[in-house]
Amino acid sequence: MSCCAVGAASMTVAEGGQALPASEELWLASRELGGGLRQTELSVPGVHCGACIATIEGALRDRPEIERARVNLSSRRVSIVWREEVAGSRSDPSEFMRAIAERGYQAHLFSPGVDAGDDLLKQLILAVAVSGFAATNIMLLSVSVWSGADAATRDLFHWISALIAGPALIYAGRFFYQSAWNALRNGRTNMDVPIALAVTLSYGMSLYETIGHGDHAWFDASVTLLFFLLIGRTLDHMMRDRARSAVSGLARLSPRGATILHPDGSREYRSIEEIKAGECLMIAAGERIPVDGRVLSGTSDLDRSVVSGESAPVTVAAGDAVQAGTLNLTGPLTLKATAAARDSFLAEIMGLMEAAEGGRARYRRIADRAARYYSPAVHLLALLTFVGWILVEGDIRHAMLVAVAVLIITCPCALGLAVPVVQVVAAGRLFQGGVMVKDGSAMERLAEIDTVLLDKTGTLTVGRPRLVNAHEITPGALATAAALAVHSRHPLASAIQDAAGAVSPLACDIREIPGAGIEAKTVNGVYRLGSRDFAVAEPGPESGQSEAILSLDHRELACFRFEDRLRPAAYESIKALGRLGLSTVILSGDREPVVAALARKLKIANWHAELSPRGKVEACAAVAEEGRRALMVGDGINDAPALRAAHVSMAPATAADVGRQAADFVFMHSPLSAVPFAIETARRAGRLIRQNFVLAIGYNIVAVPIAILGYATPLVAAVAMSTSSLVVVVNALRLKATVPTATGGAEILPLSLTASRTTA
Amino acid sequence: MNTLIYLIPIALILGGLGLAAFLWALKSGQYEDLDGASWRVLDDEDCRP
C-alpha cells in the first residue's frame, strides 16, 4: 500500500512554486477552542485509502503539541487540534504542514466558512430517517389490515397509522410543501406540486375514511411515497455537497494575508481584507500578490499566467503596476497598494462574471421540464376521474376515493428517483476518474453540448515550460546550468533542473539577479544563466520561443530553448472530442504565434489569440447566438467570466480560485482525457435518465387505467409503487458497469489514473 | 385483541429505539466520513476512535 504516497505526491494540485503557508497565516486561519487549544483544518487531496489515513495520523500524533488529529477520507481533510503552548514555547502550526509534506502528501489550508450546505443535508437525512421509521411501522400495520383484520381491530390500526403518519408528513414533507408553495406563488409548477397534493389529499381522505370506519386507508402509500422521494432528494444534495467540499478544499491561489511595512519600519502580518490602499507591502519571492499595486522597490519576474494567460514571465521594476493574483517568482518586492482587495483586478472579474450569467440561469432541470407537462396531465386525469364517477354512481365519497387512488398511483415516485439516482451513480463514476461535479443540472447540460472551447495556458498546456533542445546541449553544460538553476524559482530554471535530473552542487558564490538571471563566480570564471542580454551582454535575434543562455565570462556555452508543455493526453483527448462529434476552438489570452503553433500541433483549425476576459465572454456569446451549446474549459482568472457565460464549464484543479468556483466540473488529475471522459459519462447518464422516464411512463400507462376503473386498493398501490421505483434504481446502477463504447470513453478512466501515477 | 395492547407499543418502541439510535449516530458524527470508516476497520493499530 506504499503506492499511495507516490500517487498522492503526483497529484498535480497546486504546483508551480507555491510555498507552504507561513506560520502567521495558519494562526490566523485556526479556530480557538478555549483552554489553550486551537483547531486547524487542512485539505489533503492526496489521501485515498486506509494506509494514507494511518500515515498522516501517525505523523501528526508523534508531535507533542498536537492534541488529536483525524483524517476525513470522504472530504479529504485533516482536522488538527493543537495546544497553543508546549513547555512554555509557542507552537508553530507550519510544522504540521511540514510533517504531512514529509510523508509525500500535499497539504493546503482549508478556507473556513464554506460549510454552509452541511446543515440542509443533515436536515434531509433526519427527514429520511423519520419518514423511514414511519413508513415501516405503518406498513406493518397495513399488512395486518390487508391480511384480514376487520372491524374494531382495523379501525385501531388505521388510527395508529394516522397518528404516526401525521407528524411524519409535517416533519419530513416540509421540503416538498415549501418548494411546491414557492413554485405556485410564482405562477409556476414543478415536480413537488403533484407530490404535495397527492400526499396531503391521500392523508386527508384516509383520515376521513378512518373516522367513518371505512375499509381502505392510504396512510402507508403517502408515507412510503415521501420516504422514496426524500431518498432521491437527499442523494441529489449529497452529490453537490461532496463536490463542494472537495473543490473548496483545494489549494487557494489568493493569499490569506501579507506583511505590511509601516512608515516607522515595523512589520505586521495582516489578513487580506484589512489591507488598505496606500499601504506598503513586502512580497517575498514565491508569494502571490494580494492586491493591485505599484512597485516601490525591487526587481522581479512575475508569473501572470493565471491572470492573463500569458505563458512567459514578465519582468517588473520600480514604478510598474502589478495585478492581484500574479505570482512573484524571483526577487523580493516592496509594493504600494493602489486598491483594497475588494477593488482589485479580481473584483473587476467578479463584476464581469455577474454580468455573464449565461445558459445556467435559463436552464430548467429535466425533471422540472417533465413536470411542466406531467403535473397538469395528472391533475386533469384525477379531476376527470372524480367527475366521471360522480356521473356514473353519484357517490361523492367513492368518487373521491378513486380520484385519490389515481393521484397516488400517478405520483412521480419513479420520476423523483429517475434523475437523482442516475446522476449520483454518474457522479460517483466521475469522482473515481478524478472529476468533481458541482450539481446535477451541470451533468444534464454537459450531455447537450456540441462545441468545446479550450483555454491554452494551464488547460491545453500545463503552464510550465519544458526544455526542447536537450539533445543539442553537452551534458557538462546542462549540469552546470542545472547547478545554477537550483537557486531560482523561475519556471525556466525549474525546466532545466527537470531535464538535468540529479544536480551536483557548485562550490561558489551564487546570486540571482531578478529580471535577468543567475550569476556564479567560480575559479573558472563567471558563469551566467539567463536572458541573452544578461549572459553575453548583447541583444540577439528575437525568436518566438523562450530561451535561456549559459555563458562563461560573457562567452556563450549553450542556448536552451523552451516551450510550454502540453497537458498529458492532450492530443488523444482532442481526437476523442472529435470522435464524440464535437467541434473544438481555442480561446487564449496569449500571443498569436504561440497560439498558432499550438493549434497546428493539435490540429485545431479554429483558434483566437490575445483575447481579454471580455473577449472570451463575447466568444462564448457568439457561439450561443449561433444556436450551439458550448463547454468552456479554462483555468485562469481571465477565464472565469467565460466559464460562467458558457452553457457548461470545466476547470482543472490547478485553476485559480475564481475559475474553480465558476466552473461546473473540476478535474483533479492532470491528463486532459478527463474532458472527453466527463462528456461521455454525462451523455450515458442522459440516455439512462431518458430510459428511466420511459420506464416510469410505461408503468403509468399500465397502472392508471386500473386506478381509474377503481380497482386500485392500497395493496395494489404499494406493490406498484415499490416495483416501479426498484426498476428505475436498478436501471440507473447499470451505469456502474463499464461498457466499452465506440468512443473509448470507458478506457479513458484507467488511462487518467495510471498517467497521474507515472508523472511523479 | 388483548395481545395487541402490549404488542403494538412494543413494536413502536423498538422501532423508535432504532430511530433514536440512528439520530444519535448522525449527531455524534458517525456519518461524516463513510469512506474513511470502511478503511479504519481494517487498521491493525488499535488506537483512539
Side-chain angles (χ1 to χ4, degrees):
Chain A
M1 293 225 266
S2 59
C3 66
C4 297
V6 178
S10 70
M11 290 269 291
T12 53
V13 173
E15 283 179 342
Q18 183 116 349
L20 293 175
S23 184
E24 290 88 353
E25 195 171 346
L26 284 159
W27 268 89
L28 210 63
S30 64
R31 198 170 62 214
E32 199 167 349
L33 297 179
L37 290 176
R38 282 184 164 267
Q39 186 173 351
T40 297
E41 297 270 330
L42 297 178
S43 156
V44 187
V47 285
H48 58 71
C49 73
C52 307
I53 298 180
T55 313
I56 293 179
E57 287 187 356
L60 290 172
R61 223 169 265 150
D62 289 344
R63 305 201 61 83
E65 65 269 34
I66 289 180
E67 180 79 17
R68 55 178 184 270
R70 192 172 171 89
V71 175
N72 185 327
L73 188 64
S74 313
S75 57
R76 311 254 197 265
R77 258 185 254 165
V78 187
S79 160
I80 305 169
V81 177
W82 45 284
R83 296 183 198 91
E84 285 176 4
E85 277 183 8
V86 174
S89 64
R90 196 165 174 264
S91 307
D92 179 9
S94 64
E95 287 294 317
F96 312 156
M97 307 275 280
R98 199 156 301 132
I100 296 175
E102 273 168 13
R103 305 296 163 111
Y105 295 91
Q106 296 226 2
H108 315 292
L109 198 49
F110 184 76
S111 46
V114 287
D115 275 342
D118 272 343
D119 261 4
L120 183 57
L121 181 65
K122 232 172 201 161
Q123 297 284 325
L124 277 168
I125 293 179
L126 280 177
V128 170
V130 169
S131 62
F133 162 80
T136 45
N137 281 292
I138 294 174
M139 198 51 87
L140 267 179
L141 297 165
S142 301
V143 168
S144 326
V145 174
W146 298 335
S147 17
D150 59 356
T153 320
R154 186 186 58 213
D155 281 352
L156 175 67
F157 284 0
H158 279 169
W159 272 116
I160 296 172
S161 301
L163 285 180
I164 303 173
L169 288 188
I170 295 170
Y171 179 76
R174 66 183 195 279
F175 301 100
F176 299 100
Y177 291 131
Q178 277 164 6
S179 158
W181 172 242
N182 281 338
L184 285 179
R185 213 173 35 182
N186 295 325
R188 289 184 292 113
T189 171
N190 61 10
M191 210 58 138
D192 295 333
V193 176
I195 294 170
L197 201 67
V199 166
T200 320
L201 272 183
S202 62
Y203 184 79
M205 196 62 212
S206 308
L207 199 62
Y208 177 76
E209 280 293 290
T210 305
I211 294 168
H213 308 287
D215 292 344
H216 295 317
W218 299 85
F219 295 117
D220 64 306
S222 55
V223 181
T224 316
L225 199 66
L226 210 61
F227 180 47
F228 283 154
L229 291 166
L230 273 171
I231 292 178
R233 189 68 45 111
T234 311
L235 285 178
D236 193 44
H237 196 81
M238 252 162 134
M239 173 172 68
R240 259 182 279 178
D241 217 54
R242 183 177 194 173
R244 187 172 26 226
S245 63
V247 168
S248 59
L250 289 170
R252 296 168 53 90
L253 284 187
S254 49
R256 199 175 291 275
T259 311
I260 309 271
L261 189 64
H262 289 299
D264 59 7
S266 63
R267 294 171 186 196
E268 182 196 356
Y269 189 85
R270 219 189 277 163
S271 87
I272 182 162
E273 290 83 14
E274 294 167 24
I275 298 173
K276 291 189 267 304
E279 285 179 319
C280 286
L281 309 177
M282 308 211 357
I283 310 289
E287 281 185 359
R288 265 184 205 276
I289 292 173
V291 294
D292 288 357
R294 192 166 291 283
V295 180
L296 285 182
S297 65
T299 313
S300 180
D301 296 283
L302 293 186
D303 177 356
R304 295 163 44 95
S305 59
V306 163
V307 175
S308 67
E310 281 168 61
S311 46
V314 181
T315 306
V316 291
D320 289 337
V322 292
Q323 280 169 320
T326 49
L327 179 65
N328 180 18
L329 289 170
T330 45
L333 290 174
T334 311
L335 301 182
K336 190 182 193 81
T338 51
R342 61 176 180 283
D343 307 320
S344 283
F345 170 66
L346 218 59
E348 212 173 288
I349 292 286
M350 292 294 186
L352 262 181
M353 278 168 71
E354 272 164 31
E357 195 66 70
R360 73 196 65 195
R362 287 190 301 275
Y363 185 81
R364 287 170 63 94
R365 299 280 303 258
I366 289 180
D368 285 335
R369 274 184 283 163
R372 201 165 51 181
Y373 303 106
Y374 193 80
S375 48
V378 164
H379 294 154
L380 199 67
L381 206 64
L383 190 68
L384 285 180
T385 313
F386 180 65
V387 174
W389 275 96
I390 288 183
L391 291 180
V392 172
E393 272 193 339
D395 181 357
I396 293 184
R397 183 174 148 263
H398 187 233
M400 191 70 192
L401 264 180
V402 177
V404 166
V406 170
L407 265 187
I408 288 182
I409 289 273
T410 56
C411 196
C413 187
L415 286 183
L417 282 173
V419 181
V421 174
V422 172
Q423 286 177 342
V424 164
V425 175
R429 206 175 113 88
L430 286 173
F431 192 80
Q432 279 172 3
V435 182
M436 307 283 161
V437 193
K438 290 272 184 69
D439 63 9
S441 103
M443 205 156 353
E444 293 171 16
R445 281 180 277 133
L446 186 62
E448 296 179 342
I449 58 145
D450 50 19
T451 309
V452 182
L453 308 173
L454 294 151
D455 169 48
K456 187 186 78 75
T457 318
T459 305
L460 282 173
T461 67
V462 287
R464 279 180 306 153
R466 183 178 62 104
L467 187 63
V468 283
N469 63 340
H471 54 276
E472 296 170 8
I473 292 163
T474 59
L478 186 59
T480 315
L484 292 176
V486 289
H487 295 276
S488 173
R489 287 172 189 272
H490 198 283
L492 296 186
S494 326
I496 292 180
Q497 286 174 56
D498 287 349
V503 176
S504 53
L506 209 59
C508 55
D509 172 27
I510 295 183
R511 65 196 186 97
E512 181 171 18
I513 297 121
I518 308 155
E519 187 181 71
K521 293 194 178 79
T522 65
V523 285
N524 302 334
V526 180
Y527 280 107
R528 283 180 159 188
L529 176 68
S531 64
R532 190 170 282 275
D533 253 358
F534 166 72
V536 294
E538 61 183 46
E542 184 71 38
S543 72
Q545 278 176 315
S546 28
E547 57 175 19
I549 310 284
L550 176 70
S551 70
L552 179 60
D553 295 331
H554 294 303
R555 199 159 36 74
E556 179 171 336
L557 291 180
C559 174
F560 300 87
R561 277 189 245 286
F562 304 89
E563 64 176 19
D564 202 353
R565 196 173 355 172
L566 279 182
R567 194 170 270 278
Y571 187 66
E572 294 83 347
S573 308
I574 300 292
K575 273 214 306 223
L577 289 177
R579 274 202 304 272
L580 286 167
L582 304 164
S583 55
T584 40
V585 182
I586 299 181
L587 299 182
S588 177
D590 208 351
R591 288 168 302 133
E592 199 168 316
V594 188
V595 182
L598 184 88
R600 245 194 329 275
K601 201 159 161 194
L602 291 174
K603 301 206 175 87
I604 298 175
N606 200 345
W607 52 268
H608 305 279
E610 293 174 39
L611 290 175
S612 64
R614 188 179 297 277
K616 290 195 181 198
V617 174
E618 279 159 9
C620 283
V623 169
E625 224 138 82
E626 288 169 32
R628 288 187 293 157
R629 297 199 161 106
L631 163 71
M632 171 79 200
V633 189
D635 76 318
I637 293 174
N638 60 333
D639 296 316
L643 289 172
R644 184 54 68 85
H647 192 60
V648 59
S649 54
M650 201 163 172
T654 43
D657 287 341
V658 264
R660 241 173 13 223
Q661 302 295 343
D664 296 305
F665 291 81
V666 175
F667 58 100
M668 316 295 268
H669 301 303
S670 67
L672 197 64
S673 52
V675 176
F677 169 65
I679 297 173
E680 168 80 19
T681 307
R683 286 189 174 177
R684 283 179 58 197
R687 274 200 296 279
L688 278 173
I689 287 173
R690 283 195 292 277
Q691 282 173 14
N692 273 351
F693 276 155
V694 171
L695 284 174
I697 290 169
Y699 146 80
N700 273 324
I701 290 175
V702 176
V704 166
I706 299 177
I708 291 180
L709 295 176
Y711 293 114
T713 57
L715 174 60
V716 172
V719 171
M721 263 177 8
S722 315
T723 332
S724 72
S725 301
L726 268 181
V727 168
V728 167
V729 170
V730 169
N731 188 41
L733 290 179
R734 289 197 309 135
L735 191 62
K736 271 202 158 159
T738 33
V739 189
T741 55
T743 53
E747 294 99 68
I748 290 171
L749 168 61
L751 176 77
S752 70
L753 289 175
T754 47
S756 73
R757 290 277 163 81
T758 49
T759 49
Chain B
M1 191 66 184
N2 287 339
T3 48
L4 290 180
I5 289 172
Y6 44 93
L7 277 183
I8 289 179
I10 287 176
L12 287 179
I13 288 168
L14 285 179
L17 276 180
L19 180 65
F22 175 76
L23 295 184
W24 167 77
L26 189 69
K27 275 234 166 67
S28 67
Q30 299 194 28
Y31 286 83
E32 306 268 292
D33 183 16
L34 294 176
D35 296 348
S38 64
W39 282 102
R40 278 176 205 275
V41 77
L42 301 174
D43 192 5
D44 288 333
E45 285 173 58
D46 206 274
C47 32
R48 292 167 293 175

